[in-house]
Amino acid sequence: MSRLIFSILTIATVIFSSCTSKYAILDRNIETEEIAIPGKLIAIEIVDERSNVTSKRIKLNVLSFPGQSDKVSPILNNEQEQLILDQISSYFSDGETEVKVRCAIIGGFQEFSAHTFNEREYVEFETKIELLNAAGEMVKYCTSTAFLETRSMDANYDFIDKLYLKAIRTSVYKCFEKLDD
């Protein structure tokens, strides 16, 4: 009887600890440097250059078996677009020079795979940020890719969506971090 209780407690500990550690990635602060690009921001253009976007939601089964997987490149939704707009706007300090920003979405997807002892949630987002002068001529640009992965016993839609938002934010931040040098 004590072996059964020990086994149940061990399994419960593993399940609950993987859930707790999984969410820690969302709290990790990647924005360690303050960014202040000199100039007056006059326009932001977001262009999704991905050819494989879909409105199909990633498939996460309630009960999964090893070998099951899915991968989708979701259409950029209003929340994600607003996140990018707000984030870019926050990086500009006042200045006399007028600046336009073109944010190209080069890649971005959510991926799920089931394995024997865990479920893997993986997201990736790649952007190209171009700083343009008032005439629309490129002054500076950079690209950045962010990818995040977790393994746990319980993949779910809410978490993978939050992880994807974190990848978007990280990719845009990393570009502006380079542009601010």
Side-chain angles (χ1 to χ4, degrees), residues 104-166:
I105 312 304
I106 299 169
F109 62 87
Q110 298 174 332
E111 185 175 55
F112 163 80
S113 57
H115 303 274
T116 304
F117 297 108
N118 62 51
E119 295 177 343
R120 176 182 175 257
E121 293 163 281
Y122 178 85
V123 297
E124 188 172 301
F125 201 80
E126 182 178 6
T127 54
K128 178 180 181 182
I129 304 287
E130 298 174 348
L131 299 183
L132 313 167
N133 62 21
E137 299 162 330
M138 186 169 43
V139 176
K140 212 174 184 183
Y141 80 94
C142 90
T143 59
S144 176
T145 304
F147 50 90
L148 302 166
E149 174 186 48
T150 61
R151 294 175 186 265
S152 68
M153 301 299 288
D154 64 337
N156 65 70
Y157 291 108
D158 182 56
F159 181 79
I160 201 162
D161 289 342
K162 287 178 181 175
L163 199 62
Y164 192 61
L165 282 174
K166 179 95 175 177

Side-chain angles (χ1 to χ4, degrees), residues 43-49 76-88 101-105 125 127-129 168 172:
I44 302 172
E45 177 187 19
I46 298 174
V47 180
D48 194 341
E49 296 182 348
L76 195 67
N77 66 31
N78 292 337
E79 177 187 9
Q80 294 161 350
E81 189 170 336
Q82 192 60 52
L83 171 78
I84 293 168
L85 291 170
D86 292 345
Q87 185 176 3
I88 290 172
V101 173
R102 182 177 186 276
C103 175
I105 312 304
F125 201 80
T127 54
K128 178 180 181 182
I129 304 287
I168 292 170
V172 171

Side-chain angles (χ1 to χ4, degrees), residues 37-104:
I37 306 284
K40 179 182 177 186
L41 183 62
I42 59 170
I44 302 172
E45 177 187 19
I46 298 174
V47 180
D48 194 341
E49 296 182 348
R50 299 173 295 166
S51 61
N52 59 343
V53 295
T54 180
S55 58
K56 176 186 167 255
R57 189 136 168 93
I58 192 166
K59 186 174 182 181
L60 302 176
N61 298 321
V62 175
L63 182 61
S64 62
F65 298 98
Q68 290 179 322
S69 65
D70 195 20
K71 178 179 175 181
V72 298
S73 293
I75 293 172
L76 195 67
N77 66 31
N78 292 337
E79 177 187 9
Q80 294 161 350
E81 189 170 336
Q82 192 60 52
L83 171 78
I84 293 168
L85 291 170
D86 292 345
Q87 185 176 3
I88 290 172
S89 296
S90 74
Y91 294 147
F92 285 85
S93 60
D94 289 328
E96 293 180 22
T97 308
E98 292 184 333
V99 181
K100 296 179 181 179
V101 173
R102 182 177 186 276
C103 175

